[in-house]
Amino acid sequence: FRAWDYTKINDHIAAIEANDADYYDADSYAAYLAKKDALVWNYTYEFYAKAMLQELNFLKVNPAAAAAADYSAVEKAIAAYEAKKEAAEYTADSIAAVDAEIAKVVYGLNENHQAEVDAFAAAINAAIDAMVEVVVVGGVETVDKSRMP
């Protein structure tokens, strides 16, 4: 006789059911409910418990139900970049590096992807910090070599 520990399953169920059903993708939520209904809280049904844990790991959030991610840090970084470009001239490689980071931003992500959105902002800011200014000395364009990568 070996009793199955349902603690992990109960924790998952509590976390899932803390949200409304429409928070989840309809198909994956239906599959979750089917697994939950099939689960008998008895050690002889360990197979169902394992199957349910797998279903819980694949439950998808309904993108329409999740709040939008906060892009304010991305917008602030882009505004800082535009202001910096207006204030001085920078090497083409510097400009291209920042533009490349901005092009990587995926808009429309929900709150479950906030870490990705924050990473976009951090990458843009890092590229801005690495920008190399073109300096005119005695009528000759040069770059600040101390800022070269």
Side-chain angles (χ1 to χ4, degrees), residues 4-81:
W4 177 255
D5 179 7
Y6 291 100
T7 305
K8 189 172 182 180
I9 293 172
N10 288 330
D11 290 347
H12 279 292
I13 290 171
I16 289 168
E17 294 182 357
N19 296 307
D20 293 329
D22 63 352
Y23 182 78
Y24 300 102
D25 170 76
D27 292 335
S28 67
Y29 193 74
Y32 154 75
L33 289 175
K35 295 290 186 202
K36 182 182 173 196
D37 291 344
L39 182 63
V40 177
W41 302 103
N42 185 311
Y43 77 95
T44 60
Y45 291 90
E46 184 174 330
F47 168 78
Y48 290 109
K50 287 181 180 177
M52 185 170 181
L53 277 176
Q54 287 180 327
E55 201 62 50
L56 294 173
N57 289 331
F58 293 105
L59 191 59
K60 297 175 187 158
V61 172
N62 177 354
D70 178 6
Y71 282 84
S72 61
V74 170
E75 293 164 5
K76 184 177 176 182
I78 293 171
Y81 168 57

Side-chain angles (χ1 to χ4, degrees), residues 82-105:
E82 295 299 332
K84 193 168 184 175
K85 281 194 324 184
E86 290 293 320
E89 187 175 340
Y90 293 90
T91 65
D93 288 343
S94 295
I95 300 294
V98 180
D99 288 343
E101 293 304 330
I102 291 172
K104 292 178 187 176
V105 176

